[in-house]
Amino acid sequence: RRHIPIVAVQPVSEEAATWVDVVHVDFKSAYKQVFEHLMQLGHRNIAYLSVMENPNPSDKRKDEGWNLAGRELNLCLDYRIPWNLAKSGSVPLGDESSGENDFLYQADSRESMAKVVEALKGFPVPVTALICASDEVAIGVQSYLQSHGWQLPRDLSIVGYDGISLGEQVYPS
């Protein structure tokens, strides 16, 4: 019998990483590329919409990568918006494959997006670009902003993270 190794691409818990081979993503390099691209477009005040409460190990590494890349490029890291879905805390996502627990379908997601916009408008220097910790969050925020009259990317450039195919179906992609 041949031994087949178990390999996981993030996210996995720290405990699971002790018995599963894990392919790690270089989030610092990835976010540095995003920062550099946005800076080439003229953006300097770039906000980061992080993952909601109780992030998984991959989400924590994304946050670390964003911080490391921003520090290396001497960017202001005060422009961080923590995504908090529900009024009383975050809503567990559960089985995302079913769609029923997906954050975009939660009743409080619109209220949370309004808080994101409030945070964007509350920074001392206007934010011109927003990096979201996932494509799903980016698409939700983009839809919300467009439904409230924002002209994207004129008013705000938005970048998601993950490269899901749905990202190509929205305008601008």
Side-chain angles (χ1 to χ4, degrees), residues 3-9 16 19-23:
H3 173 71
I4 300 174
I6 299 173
V7 178
V9 177
W19 58 273
V20 173
D21 293 328
V22 181
V23 176

Side-chain angles (χ1 to χ4, degrees), residues 8-13 16 22-23 56-59 61:
V9 177
Q10 296 173 323
V12 296
S13 68
V22 181
V23 176
N56 65 42
S58 180
D59 296 328
R61 289 186 184 101

Side-chain angles (χ1 to χ4, degrees), residues 44-159:
R44 293 293 178 272
N45 300 315
I46 303 167
Y48 178 62
L49 182 56
S50 65
V51 175
M52 64 184 92
E53 295 174 10
N54 303 316
N56 65 42
S58 180
D59 296 328
K60 290 177 185 176
R61 289 186 184 101
K62 283 182 182 181
D63 284 357
E64 291 168 10
W66 181 80
N67 281 310
L68 291 170
R71 274 193 221 114
E72 188 172 307
L73 295 170
N74 294 317
L75 295 173
C76 177
L77 298 176
D78 294 339
Y79 289 76
R80 184 174 187 277
I81 305 168
W83 177 265
N84 185 8
L85 181 58
K87 297 175 205 164
S88 60
S90 63
V91 174
L93 291 180
D95 179 13
E96 292 180 30
S97 63
S98 71
E100 81 183 43
N101 290 323
D102 191 305
F103 87 92
L104 290 176
Y105 304 106
Q106 296 291 333
D108 291 332
S109 66
R110 290 294 215 196
E111 182 177 325
S112 295
M113 288 184 208
K115 289 179 182 178
V116 168
V117 173
E118 189 177 304
L120 283 171
K121 291 180 176 180
F123 290 120
V125 178
V127 170
T128 60
L130 176 65
I131 300 172
C132 298
S134 76
D135 284 345
E136 189 177 42
V137 171
I139 291 166
V141 170
Q142 178 175 337
S143 174
Y144 180 86
L145 292 174
Q146 288 174 323
S147 71
H148 285 80
W150 289 55
Q151 299 295 311
L152 305 177
R154 186 192 75 193
D155 297 333
L156 183 72
S157 290
I158 300 176
V159 177

Side-chain angles (χ1 to χ4, degrees), residues 10 25-32 58 61-62 65-66 161:
Q10 296 173 323
V25 175
D26 183 354
F27 291 114
K28 176 187 169 195
S29 176
Y31 280 114
K32 186 175 177 187
S58 180
R61 289 186 184 101
K62 283 182 182 181
W66 181 80
Y161 193 105

